[in-house]
Amino acid sequence: MISPTNIYRQVARIRTMENRALELSAEGFFQGSVHVCNGHELVPAVIGNMRRPEDKVLATYRGHGWALACGIPMAQILGEICQKAGGVNGGRSGSLMISAPERGFIGQNSIVGAGVPIADGVALAALLGKTEGVAIATVGDGAMSQGALHEGFVLAAAKNLPVIFICENNGWAEMTPTSEVTRHPELARRVEGYGIPARTVDGTDLGAVVEASQWAFAEVREGRGPVFLEFNVVRLKGHYNRDIQHYRSKGDMQQAEERDPLSRLHAELLENGIAAADELAAIDDEVVAEVDAATVSVRKMPEPSVNDGNYYLYSPDSPTSWHTPTSGSRTRTMEYWRAINTALATELEHRQDVVIFGEDVASAGGVFGVTRGLQKQFGADRVFDTPIAESAILGAAVGAAIEGLRPVVEIMWVDFLLVALDQLVNQAANVRFASQGRQTAPLTVRMQQGATAGSCAQHSQSLEALIAHIPGLRLGLPSTPADAYAMTRAAVADPDPVVLIESRELYQLKGEVAVDAEVESIGGARLHGSGSDVVVITWGAMVQRALAAQAELAERGVSVSVLDLRWLAPLDLASILDAVRTAGGRAVIVHEANQTGGFGAEVFARIHESLREELVLDIRRLTTPDTRIPTPGALQAALIPGSREIAAACISLKDSATARV
Ligand SMILES: Cc1ncc(C[n+]2csc(CCOP(=O)(O)OP(=O)(O)O)c2C)c(N)n1
């Protein structure tokens, strides 16, 4: 039973706490933006009251009210807003990215609309029985134009996911009235188009909010899939703390004030004889006392330590040095694609938490056949197809991983990652960091890349440098069937988000695969040969070309080693330096990606930084020039390094060395 007086107390707590945050900001107690939910409070207060502890909440940056409604102690929220060590996230997240998984608060999100697909993943974990409860995802009206959000709705509808989607419609998308950028005034009508039952509700009216929320919980808990609630609320303050609202009319402000949910509730409780004036005044006093006490405690909180040495990027158990991966005693010859397929089947068999999803991966077995047969063997709950919605695929993987599943998702081509990069870079990579390691996202994203004859410029790129640039992600590029198997297993086992970029060119390559080898930990390069003249440092598809060059050069008396980096993150610098030393300081770094900003530049720099005082270095890069990739194979071959060019670069390096002597 909802107690209106308790709801009043909760609305007052949110309001008073946030107003205090604004005062502390104005005083200069902390720097940065604060987005208060003045005018929205009734929504988190009611839904927070109705939610069960197992229900998970995903809020926006305007989510302090939700944090409080999830039961996070006020001082910890205020401390976090003020970026103090005693904040719920140790002060690292600040006002915009508060999370508290131990209280079912998956957290705020400062990327507009991004929480919707993540909520899908949270709900997926519940649907598959990994967790219990439902997901509650809240967004603003501006967010209702974001692509990721719509993809998230499509996936939730397709999979009948237990999510309550909430739009807190305050009429403003930052500084633009939402009515100016949308055609239909009721945003709920859009969502109905996806087959999601939706209601538009006065979010400042207690009875209406309670009634709609009861309906929503009943629908979702009884397994009828997602629902959408559009709560019309008001924005009583600026978009953020320093917003002077020069773009807003006095009339609009006045109208908002007339609908202030706190005053409205106060009046309603008195009028209906639910509470007496002195009772409400006593609640107000208690709330102010609570906020005062929280403020005293926040003022005493130390600043976060600069040098605690823990950046919460990866699991503290991750090794920082690697031994060359072991080979097992039982080997089978198979193609690169089948090696991945076998690794996935093994992981599905050994880990009940593994789920595989993506476009065409299930009944069709993937456009390259990599997931062939897995749905048949492991069932449609664990291997399933998704809509063509990369943000939803990646976001759902993030949410599912947070909730304890081990999702392995496929992005069909690396080129398609670009439409959904946010979910990897802003979302997956931040999960451990923002929560100080209390939430993690052990997901694996598989994709393939490179140019093959007939592939156009939007299906040919090599984009590993984009991923390698992002702290918080792991990145591997297998170059042999053996590594396709070993690295896929390592990726699934790893406690952090891992991206595997497979090589389309290599899918049919056959080789020996140690199917009983111990699962390696992520990291570690592989050295082929022990060349004293030159080392070729490379990864992915280029490894096979480098090995061909090595064999050819051996016949001509040039001693070349090939260092296959395998993992670009973490980077096995020790093996790079050892190989360069053995080759007398001579190295060719080869990659298929374009030159500018390619990962070769990073390898080049690392070698120089480490060895420039120890050795005379002669290091060269051999890459695809900075061009777009043409479709005909002959034109591609003219641009992309082949074994001939690699061999020529090695000879040129050796000749320069001889000339210097
Ligand atoms: C993807 C993205 N685009 C733009 C922004 C900048 N931004 C932050 S808040 C905001 C307004 C969003 O409005 P709405 O969804 O209505 O939520 P409200 O702020 O009203 O709660 C914008 C544009 C962002 N954070 N993320």
Side-chain angles (χ1 to χ4, degrees), residues 35 40 60-62 110-113 139-144 146 168 170-175 178 235 239:
H35 304 77
H40 297 212
T60 70
Y61 44 84
R62 206 177 292 291
S110 78
I111 303 297
V112 165
V139 295
D141 40 297
M144 289 293 292
Q146 273 288 325
E168 297 174 45
N170 61 20
W172 287 94
E174 203 164 78
M175 300 178 188
T178 298
R235 200 180 87 187
H239 171 67

Side-chain angles (χ1 to χ4, degrees), residues 484-496:
Y485 177 84
M487 291 168 71
T488 301
R489 293 208 57 195
V492 180
D494 194 78
D496 288 303

